[in-house]
Amino acid sequence: MEETRKKMNPLRIFCKNCGAPAGFDIIRQTYSCPNCGQVSGIQEVERKMSQWRDLNKKNIKADSAGQALEEHSCPTCGAQVIFKAGEASGTCDFCGSKLIRKDLLRPDQMPELIIPFFITPEEAKKRMLEWAHENEKTPEGEAVLANIDQFKGYYLPYQLARGPVAATVTRDETNRSYYCDGYLDGTAVNTSKQLDNLTLNAMEPFDWSEARPFEYGYIAGQNVKLSDISDAQTEKRILQEVEEDFLPEVERVMQTEGVDIRLRSGNLLTMPVLLPVYFIKAKYKDTGVTAVMNGQTGRIAVSTGREKKSRPWLWNWFLYTLGTFLLLTFLFGNAWVGLYITSVPFIIYGVMFSQNGSEVVRSIVLKTEAAKAERKGNTLSIAEGEDVLENPYDNTPVFRERNDDGKLVPVHLRFYPLSRMISIIVNTFVTVFLPAIIAAFFRWVSMKEGEKFMDSFSPGYGAAWYCIAFIIALLYLSKGLRMDAFDHPFIYEILENGKEKLIGDSDSRKLTVLSMFGVGVKDENGESWGLIKTLRMMGGMGLFLGGALLFILIGSTAAIIM
């Protein structure tokens, strides 16, 4: 019977064709065999988990016979814990209140899987103290040293989640929203309301190859806590944890920390598990401290509630101002002149970037590298590093858009391909030197034999246009290049053979000086406005501005060739 339960472990999906372990293909959103390519399908997971539950419940009930265990609850924080009969602590390890004994434990409250403790309490305390001394100049290290006497080991309740999740992503300074999704292939979420789940998440991953079917023998002599949050709260925590998993990839694609991720879950399958954790939960100064250690791998994460606040748009403001200053200093050969003229774009950049910018708040959690504990004889060794214990569950999101056939497909988003950068340079050059370009054409067609081109060609006389065009170019390079580019991406469909295909209407990718003002940009009905219609829609002010620019352009062109 035990061997049957191990073979049916729901954390392992095997190929129906060759029997090899199957991995989850995030692009195709299904399980496939790396050896023969056979697709197992998500339905296989649902079937296997159902069979596992039916068999495991019977075994848990059988194992519970004769177990002398007591359940105790805290009337203050609501914690529910299990002790061996006669060994219960008098106070709650989570808030310090007096515990109340309840009815004996019911077998159906117990989890279905468990990862046993690998690190002893003495080894764990020694490692936590070493970490605290190394970080004693930080609030986190100081808090751990002050509360090390409250260091406890518990089997904590988790929910192992599997299923689809989707997100709508938006970026600061832009209006377009993007869609991405993923598949949770074993995300473990803590279900204790007394502990911060994001701090607990920072001490992961666990080595799930060591997961065992639950038996009462594993918790003999150990402290065990039961879940005390609702299903709705559990789902909320799952989405919070998924957001943390999605965040690095979303920030990489959107090229900023100023992103907003709004998640929603599909049909999630969850399984209760017990995981080994050493922790300190105590009040410290004006807030408190949550220090946790993975009881299997030795990874540490500590939080005192500190937060890091940043405004990513300030970097855009600074970099654009600095670039403008250096360019003007080069053109005029004088840093003071460059600084004086830069004061105007400095104000323009500040207004533009701050208008839709936001403050990004991130919780500060100090943590060690991913760890893996091994034992040689009686000696414990813990290796640390990014690749020491790779998380087998890839929760990296995949961005999707509708292709030319209307089908939602996986895509790569690019905002600054070479063709766009060349187009931006050409647009900027033409905008600034438009009267000189027009005048050069008229000078070329009107030249008489024996005349030199520069005899009646003075590009410096177009200064009136250059001054206005310089401001327009600054707007284009800030709003158009940094903002509008993220509203008009280049979208490449990822084909099944791994190649990419550019999709979408070419007009939707245009990023010209005129498109910055809405000219040629399609609206919600798929219609685009020309220059004249755009000016007319602006009313009298639009017609005045259009007429004034046309007058200056004609005057500057004439001045250059006369």
Side-chain angles (χ1 to χ4, degrees):
M1 181 68 74
E2 178 61 25
E3 186 64 27
T4 302
R5 279 209 283 172
K6 289 183 178 180
K7 288 183 178 179
M8 290 182 59
N9 189 327
L11 298 179
R12 303 293 301 276
I13 303 298
F14 296 94
C15 176
K16 295 181 290 186
N17 184 42
C18 68
F24 187 76
D25 186 336
I26 193 169
I27 297 294
R28 293 191 289 173
Q29 292 285 289
T30 189
Y31 287 88
S32 63
C33 178
N35 292 339
C36 67
Q38 173 72 35
V39 174
S40 295
I42 295 175
Q43 293 76 16
E44 177 70 13
V45 178
E46 298 176 356
R47 183 188 64 80
K48 193 166 188 179
M49 287 187 72
S50 178
Q51 292 179 346
W52 167 267
R53 283 199 163 109
D54 290 342
L55 180 62
N56 205 47
K57 285 180 180 178
K58 295 178 182 178
N59 284 276
I60 289 177
K61 289 181 180 179
D63 292 344
S64 65
Q67 294 292 331
L69 298 173
E70 296 178 351
E71 182 181 348
H72 296 254
S73 65
C74 175
T76 303
C77 71
Q80 294 180 324
V81 294
I82 299 170
F83 299 100
K84 188 175 180 180
E87 295 184 0
S89 172
T91 58
C92 177
D93 289 322
F94 299 90
C95 72
S97 299
K98 185 176 179 60
L99 289 173
I100 300 175
R101 184 181 181 278
K102 295 175 61 178
D103 292 335
L104 290 178
L105 178 72
R106 298 190 310 271
D108 58 4
Q109 290 179 291
M110 297 311 297
E112 299 175 37
L113 288 175
I114 187 170
I115 292 182
F117 274 96
F118 185 80
I119 301 173
T120 67
E122 294 76 17
E123 293 167 337
K125 188 173 185 178
K126 178 183 177 183
R127 177 170 170 78
M128 181 63 81
L129 277 172
E130 289 175 350
W131 179 91
H133 284 300
E134 291 174 359
N135 295 271
E136 61 184 355
K137 294 184 179 180
T138 67
E140 290 77 12
E142 183 181 329
V144 169
L145 289 173
N147 294 279
I148 194 65
D149 59 321
Q150 299 188 45
F151 192 66
K152 298 280 185 179
Y154 263 83
Y155 277 113
L156 294 184
Y158 279 75
Q159 284 287 339
L160 192 64
R162 263 186 171 145
V165 288
T168 299
V169 174
T170 55
R171 183 189 190 279
D172 280 358
E173 307 161 0
T174 60
N175 298 313
R176 194 184 194 280
S177 60
Y178 294 88
Y179 172 85
C180 64
D181 59 24
Y183 185 84
L184 304 186
D185 193 18
T187 294
V189 179
N190 182 263
T191 55
S192 299
K193 66 181 178 181
Q194 298 83 6
L195 297 174
D196 176 29
N197 184 59
L198 295 182
T199 304
L200 287 164
N201 185 43
M203 70 169 188
E204 295 184 30
F206 286 87
D207 184 357
W208 287 100
S209 66
E210 297 299 320
R212 300 286 185 267
F214 174 76
E215 293 179 358
Y216 279 91
Y218 287 117
I219 64 173
Q222 299 285 352
N223 299 330
V224 181
K225 186 178 182 302
L226 299 179
S227 174
D228 51 19
I229 63 175
S230 66
D231 291 343
Q233 291 173 316
T234 299
E235 183 172 356
K236 183 179 179 181
R237 285 193 171 191
I238 290 173
L239 295 182
Q240 287 176 337
E241 193 162 315
V242 171
E243 182 176 345
E244 289 294 309
D245 291 339
F246 275 22
L247 197 58
E249 177 66 8
V250 171
E251 289 180 344
R252 185 192 69 81
V253 173
M254 294 291 109
Q255 301 179 21
T256 181
E257 291 182 349
V259 295
D260 180 54
I261 304 175
R262 299 188 178 183
L263 282 152
R264 57 187 181 275
S265 62
N267 183 24
L268 292 180
L269 300 173
T270 59
M271 173 180 291
V273 299
L274 284 180
L275 299 181
V277 178
Y278 291 101
F279 72 90
I280 296 171
K281 173 68 174 176
K283 290 185 177 181
Y284 179 71
K285 293 186 176 180
D286 296 332
T287 55
V289 57
T290 300
V292 297
M293 178 190 296
N294 190 314
Q296 180 199 32
T297 69
R299 191 175 194 184
I300 294 172
V302 184
S303 172
T304 56
R306 290 195 298 152
E307 294 179 335
K308 172 186 175 184
K309 298 180 180 180
S310 63
R311 295 178 176 84
W313 58 270
L314 286 174
W315 276 108
N316 290 333
W317 189 5
F318 170 75
L319 292 175
Y320 271 83
T321 301
L322 178 62
T324 302
F325 166 71
L326 294 175
L327 175 62
L328 291 172
T329 299
F330 173 76
L331 293 175
F332 289 98
N334 189 305
W336 288 109
V337 174
L339 183 63
Y340 177 75
I341 301 177
T342 302
S343 62
V344 175
F346 172 78
I347 297 173
I348 294 174
Y349 295 147
V351 172
M352 293 183 62
F353 287 122
S354 64
Q355 188 174 10
N356 296 314
S358 63
E359 183 179 65
V360 178
V361 180
R362 297 278 189 267
S363 298
I364 297 177
V365 179
L366 300 189
K367 58 184 179 181
T368 60
E369 294 286 345
K372 185 174 183 179
E374 295 180 343
R375 197 176 296 282
K376 297 178 180 179
N378 294 325
T379 304
L380 176 73
S381 64
I382 298 178
E384 293 182 326
E386 292 183 1
D387 302 324
V388 167
L389 181 61
E390 184 179 356
N391 192 341
Y393 308 120
D394 183 7
N395 294 337
T396 303
V398 173
F399 282 82
R400 299 182 189 272
E401 296 284 340
R402 297 202 177 275
N403 62 9
D404 299 332
D405 297 326
K407 183 180 178 182
L408 197 63
V409 296
V411 298
H412 279 161
L413 301 173
R414 293 189 175 90
F415 303 102
Y416 298 111
L418 181 60
S419 59
R420 169 166 284 178
M421 298 308 298
I422 294 174
S423 173
I424 288 171
I425 294 172
V426 171
N427 268 272
T428 304
F429 180 85
V430 170
T431 299
V432 175
F433 298 103
L434 183 57
I437 294 172
I438 297 174
F441 172 76
F442 281 113
R443 174 58 183 155
W444 179 69
V445 299
S446 63
M447 282 179 59
K448 296 179 181 179
E449 188 177 351
E451 284 187 332
K452 293 182 179 180
F453 182 83
M454 297 301 295
D455 287 345
S456 297
F457 186 77
S458 303
Y461 288 170
W465 173 267
Y466 299 152
C467 292
I468 295 175
F470 178 71
I471 300 298
I472 295 175
L474 291 180
L475 291 172
Y476 175 55
L477 293 176
S478 55
K479 182 181 184 300
L481 178 60
R482 190 60 189 171
M483 298 181 181
D484 291 352
F486 291 93
D487 288 334
H488 305 279
F490 280 66
I491 304 173
Y492 294 85
E493 178 182 356
I494 304 174
L495 304 177
E496 290 189 2
N497 59 8
K499 295 183 179 180
E500 298 181 355
K501 173 186 175 184
L502 183 63
I503 60 175
D505 187 357
S506 60
D507 290 339
S508 66
R509 297 189 290 270
K510 288 183 178 178
L511 203 61
T512 64
V513 174
L514 292 178
S515 70
M516 181 177 62
F517 298 100
V519 178
V521 178
K522 291 185 177 181
D523 58 19
E524 296 177 354
N525 300 320
E527 299 179 0
S528 60
W529 294 358
L531 177 59
I532 302 300
K533 186 177 180 180
T534 301
L535 292 175
R536 288 178 61 186
M537 290 299 296
M538 293 173 65
M541 180 60 70
L543 295 175
F544 171 77
L545 290 175
L549 287 174
L550 181 61
F551 176 79
I552 296 173
L553 176 61
I554 294 174
S556 297
T557 302
I560 291 173
I561 57 178
M562 291 182 64

